[in-house]
Amino acid sequence: MSDADTLTTIAPDPSGWTCPAPLRDSPRVVMGHGGGGALSAELVENVFLPAFGGRTLAALGDSAALSLGGARLAFSTDSFVVRPLFFPGGCIGDLAVNGTVNDLAMSGARAAYLSCAFILEEGVETSVVGRIAGALGDAARAAGVEVVTGDTKVVESGRGDGVYVNTAGIGLIPPGVDIRPQRARPGDVVLLSGEIGLHGVAVMSMRQGLEFGVEIESDCAALGGLVDAMLAVTPDLHVLRDPTRGGLAAALNEIAAAAGAGVVVDERAVPVPPQVASACAVLGLDPMYVANEGKLVAFVPREHADGVLAAMRAHPLGAAAAVIGACVPDHPGMVVARTAFGGTRVVDLPLGEQLPRIC
């Protein structure tokens, strides 16, 4: 066998490689398409929006605001494929309820009813399914919602990852409330409800068996009560977003793009818990891009910002709320951060996801 033949035989085949954030012209679906970043946006814009159409879907909110029988409804659906199934601070069952409840809350709606579908892999222990179902039921009751319909499917061993869960929810939007990303306006104050990065780091540490000297727990929580407290100050909240996949950076970029406005963030004002900052430093991650499951970012008219911030801080889920920036007329569609060194940097939409399979 010649040297050339040997090289040909052992050369790696790039078509079989997988990566959370591959080249953007990939002809196949890759993990990065589910990361909530630029790849996800391209998949939605180039595949799903042309196929489904519709003005309501084109708004691309966390939930759809619908008029039906004289009522204004919020409707949302989400699928949960987190690995591992159980993590510090929660499990896939809590996540399935809180994720959908929070998507509805980002339209100002208080969730009322949920559907729930379980996709089970053959061979998963029924005790595991029972623990997840129990946690899901407890989370629903804590959030004040009722699971009213559902479905169960089983796939062959090796064709799943134990348990996947899908939930859909509906809720009522109060009169006078119009919350959507297109309403961000220059002059709005940007508020964040608390410390970022806890969920993504908690899941990753459990998945990889990493220890950082102190256990980091997910912030998984239902935000309906916090949003109610904010709306009690004023119904004129312009934008609410829960920064899940892609973290705070992705949420701010999506809002800036939808509104055609710029966003300036003061990095020093963004609350990052020390254990998350340490973990991210070790792993080379930016906390701005790490997922959260119990936080929200709000764009609020300046005249209401102080009152809304006080209401947030008076609620248990907003005790560490902070002003982190503003919406500006400059650099429309772009997010810029002022650094601790006095400079600025562009906070771009992530390509894929630093930590795949976090929800």
Side-chain angles (χ1 to χ4, degrees), residues 76-327:
S76 184
T77 187
D78 207 345
S79 298
F80 299 87
V81 296
V82 65
R83 179 172 57 86
L85 299 174
F86 301 89
F87 46 84
C91 73
I92 193 172
D94 307 282
L95 201 59
V97 170
N98 294 336
T100 298
V101 166
N102 291 347
D103 283 347
L104 296 174
M106 296 308 102
S107 294
R110 173 55 78 101
Y113 300 107
L114 295 178
S115 70
C116 175
F118 275 70
I119 297 91
L120 308 177
E121 183 183 9
E122 181 185 22
V124 67
E125 296 179 2
T126 54
S127 61
V128 169
V129 179
R131 287 177 61 195
I132 293 170
L136 192 152
D138 289 343
R141 285 183 285 273
V145 296
E146 183 180 358
V147 178
V148 294
T149 188
D151 182 50
T152 305
K153 294 291 189 296
V154 177
V155 298
E156 296 90 342
S157 178
R159 299 295 181 89
D161 202 6
V163 178
Y164 297 151
V165 180
N166 172 275
T167 48
I170 57 174
L172 284 173
I173 301 174
V177 172
D178 181 17
I179 300 173
R180 47 193 170 88
Q182 292 80 7
R183 290 198 67 214
R185 297 286 183 272
D188 284 354
V189 175
V190 182
L191 307 177
L192 179 65
S193 66
E195 297 175 328
I196 63 170
L198 290 163
H199 177 73
V201 173
V203 170
M204 179 201 58
S205 63
M206 187 70 177
R207 181 187 301 162
Q208 303 297 338
L210 302 175
E211 296 184 2
F212 301 105
V214 60
E215 185 175 72
I216 301 173
E217 290 194 356
S218 170
D219 60 345
C220 186
L223 297 170
L226 177 60
V227 172
D228 286 347
M230 297 166 68
L231 289 172
V233 176
T234 176
D236 191 28
L237 304 178
H238 285 172
V239 186
L240 295 175
R241 202 78 163 192
D242 58 334
T244 53
R245 293 178 304 167
L248 179 62
L252 293 176
N253 271 279
E254 290 166 358
I255 294 167
V263 177
V264 174
V265 175
D266 182 353
E267 277 190 337
R268 294 165 296 181
V270 177
V272 180
Q275 64 270 36
V276 169
S278 297
C280 288
V282 169
L283 298 166
L285 302 177
D286 184 339
M288 292 274 284
Y289 292 89
V290 178
N292 314 271
E293 286 293 346
K295 300 296 184 295
L296 65 81
V297 60
F299 283 57
V300 180
R302 187 168 298 277
E303 63 269 24
H304 299 304
D306 289 343
V308 172
L309 181 62
M312 294 170 73
R313 288 175 171 171
H315 191 279
L317 295 179
V323 176
I324 64 167
C327 187

